[in-house]
Amino acid sequence: MLAERFDFGLGMIVTLIFLVTSVVAFVMAAMAREDAYRAADKKTKPFWLIILGVAVAVNLIPFISMLFLQIAGLIASIVFFVDVRPALQQVSGGGRRRGGSSSDGPYGPYNGGR
């Protein structure tokens, strides 16, 4: 009985993590500009919205909630976070700049100490 409750609780936690990840990825994909996808040479905005929307739906609707579909949605969300989103930020100019000139590297300027 305790093992069944543990399995149920663990399943709910995993489902919640998958759901939150896919919802956050979907919202970020929806907020990006359409032309940024083309400029970053990634798939189109509707493509990512459909893929991530299906991932959200798989995690929300209980009767189609199969683990392999949830894992596929998680993989799509991870691909969006590690590949598409950084490319969109770079094209859109949304990178993290803390000031300095364009010749500054992570440890200081690339001007040879001049």
Side-chain angles (χ1 to χ4, degrees):
M1 184 161 150
L2 183 61
E4 290 175 7
R5 287 186 185 179
F6 177 76
D7 288 344
F8 178 74
L10 186 62
M12 292 301 292
I13 291 171
V14 168
T15 301
L16 184 63
I17 290 170
F18 287 3
L19 177 64
V20 168
T21 304
S22 59
V23 167
V24 170
F26 181 80
V27 169
M28 288 183 176
M31 290 175 47
R33 296 186 340 236
E34 170 68 34
D35 61 335
Y37 287 89
R38 288 189 305 264
D41 199 25
K42 300 297 175 186
K43 296 284 186 184
T44 62
K45 183 175 183 174
F47 172 83
W48 281 107
L49 289 177
I50 290 170
I51 294 295
L52 296 171
V54 168
V56 170
V58 163
N59 287 307
L60 279 178
I61 302 172
F63 62 86
I64 64 168
S65 164
M66 292 183 248
L67 185 60
F68 76 93
L69 290 176
Q70 290 176 323
I71 291 173
L74 179 67
I75 291 170
S77 299
I78 291 172
V79 167
F80 180 80
F81 281 127
V82 300
D83 183 40
V84 178
R85 185 170 177 254
L88 294 176
Q89 285 181 333
Q90 186 177 18
V91 168
S92 299
R96 296 182 183 202
R97 294 211 41 131
R98 292 182 288 268
S101 72
S102 62
S103 66
D104 284 352
Y107 304 110
Y110 287 125
N111 61 6
R114 295 180 230 154

